[in-house]
Amino acid sequence: MPAAGRVLLRSVTMWLLLQSLLLLASCLRSAAAFPKGCYPSEEEGLKTFRCSNAQLTEVPRDIPNDTNKLYLDSNRIPFLPRDAFWDLPLLLELDLSHNAIASVESGAFRGLAEHLHSLDLSSNRLVSVSKDAFSNLKAKVNLSNNPWLCDCRLQELIRTVDLAAGSSGGIVCDSSAQEEHVGKAFLQVIADTDFCNVYKKTTDIAMLVTMFGWFAMVISYLVYYVRQNQEDARRHLEYLKSLPSKQRRSEESSTISTVV
């Protein structure tokens, strides 16, 4: 082989080796950025990021922003902060089941409204969540197997979200203002009880009692004020009667005009 050909072949070989080393370094650097137990993959043509059973205590950062399916199930995540998934505009499925989530801040799912179609929050520690946390979310949501407090807040939440098929029976009253509701499926309970209507009636009664209390106080003060003035006027008139007649007439006129 001519010397020029050998030089060219060697140059191409070195270039390919360099590219391979750069690609390997990039992969190692990306892998090192992921939390322990997390890894990217591709499933059914969708970019997937798995962090199942990774002992996570928060939503990890540096999740690839082209992720379509995110699995954060079976960890120890206690709450979801605002904008927790803001950098994942292509996310279609989000699995947060079997964690310790007890709080979901308003805006936690901000940025996911248009694309997310599956959200699993089953088997967590949710007791009460504001409906605003799921504002504009179109995803099918699984809220089963949580220690729910059955009240107006939960009723409003259930009316806001689109429950995943077959998950409604798993939304059970762990606690309630009425003991007979405990242990029953929430949808079964609200078929006979409107928690928000009961709350409204209680609020209205409380407002009426408060208004009546203030009204009674005002009336009592007016009665006291009138009686006090009448007593002062009576004493003054008795005092005037004890005065000489000329001075008495002058002061009586003054007193009468003051009372009137």
Side-chain angles (χ1 to χ4, degrees):
M1 180 182 291
R6 287 198 299 272
V7 171
L8 179 61
L9 179 62
R10 186 178 301 168
S11 298
V12 171
T13 303
M14 291 297 294
W15 183 83
L16 290 173
L17 180 60
L18 179 61
Q19 290 296 315
S20 299
L21 289 173
L22 289 174
L23 181 60
L24 179 61
S26 177
C27 291
L28 290 174
R29 188 164 54 250
S30 297
F34 300 146
K36 184 180 179 181
C38 299
Y39 62 91
S41 64
E42 189 165 324
E43 300 177 7
E44 301 176 351
L46 296 174
K47 298 289 183 65
T48 303
F49 194 74
R50 287 191 175 273
C51 287
S52 304
N53 265 312
Q55 304 300 310
L56 297 177
T57 56
E58 63 180 2
V59 176
R61 300 177 182 177
D62 301 320
I63 299 172
N65 58 14
D66 60 349
T67 298
N68 304 127
K69 299 170 70 174
L70 176 59
Y71 292 89
L72 298 175
D73 55 300
S74 303
N75 284 289
R76 295 179 293 176
I77 300 172
F79 77 101
L80 300 178
R82 182 179 177 84
D83 295 332
F85 308 98
W86 177 251
D87 295 327
L88 303 173
L90 303 180
L91 197 62
L92 302 174
E93 297 182 20
L94 175 58
D95 189 347
L96 289 160
S97 63
H98 296 90
N99 272 281
I101 299 171
S103 173
V104 180
E105 290 187 3
S106 179
F109 304 110
R110 199 160 66 98
L112 303 181
E114 296 301 320
H115 302 95
L116 192 71
H117 64 70
S118 177
L119 172 61
D120 194 345
L121 281 165
S122 63
S123 300
N124 276 283
R125 298 178 184 174
L126 296 172
V127 175
S128 183
V129 179
S130 170
K131 64 179 181 178
D132 296 335
F134 299 87
S135 179
N136 299 321
L137 205 62
K138 300 175 183 177
K140 298 286 185 180
V141 183
N142 188 343
L143 297 172
S144 61
N145 299 318
N146 282 281
W148 290 108
L149 165 64
C150 289
D151 60 0
C152 179
R153 203 176 193 200
L154 179 58
Q155 183 172 317
E156 289 181 336
L157 173 62
I158 297 300
R159 288 174 176 171
T160 300
V161 301
D162 187 4
L163 295 177
S167 68
S168 60
I171 303 175
V172 177
C173 300
D174 187 72
S175 58
S176 175
Q178 301 181 39
E179 190 65 28
E180 65 269 20
H181 296 155
V182 175
K184 293 183 180 180
F186 186 67
L187 292 188
Q188 176 187 348
V189 171
I190 60 174
D192 302 316
T193 304
D194 187 340
F195 285 95
C196 295
N197 191 42
V198 170
Y199 174 78
K200 184 177 182 299
K201 286 181 178 178
T202 303
T203 304
D204 289 345
I205 291 172
M207 288 181 64
L208 285 173
V209 170
T210 303
M211 290 174 64
F212 178 79
W214 279 106
F215 183 72
M217 288 176 62
V218 170
I219 294 298
S220 299
Y221 176 77
L222 288 175
V223 170
Y224 169 79
Y225 179 81
V226 170
R227 286 182 176 177
Q228 189 67 30
N229 280 347
Q230 286 179 340
E231 183 66 20
D232 289 344
R234 185 184 63 79
R235 289 174 182 172
H236 192 58
L237 287 172
E238 288 179 354
Y239 166 73
L240 291 177
K241 289 177 181 179
S242 64
L243 295 176
S245 59
K246 187 176 180 180
Q247 182 180 0
R248 185 170 63 236
R249 288 196 201 96
S250 175
E251 294 198 12
E252 277 179 352
S253 300
S254 176
T255 300
I256 292 171
S257 61
T258 301
V259 172
V260 172

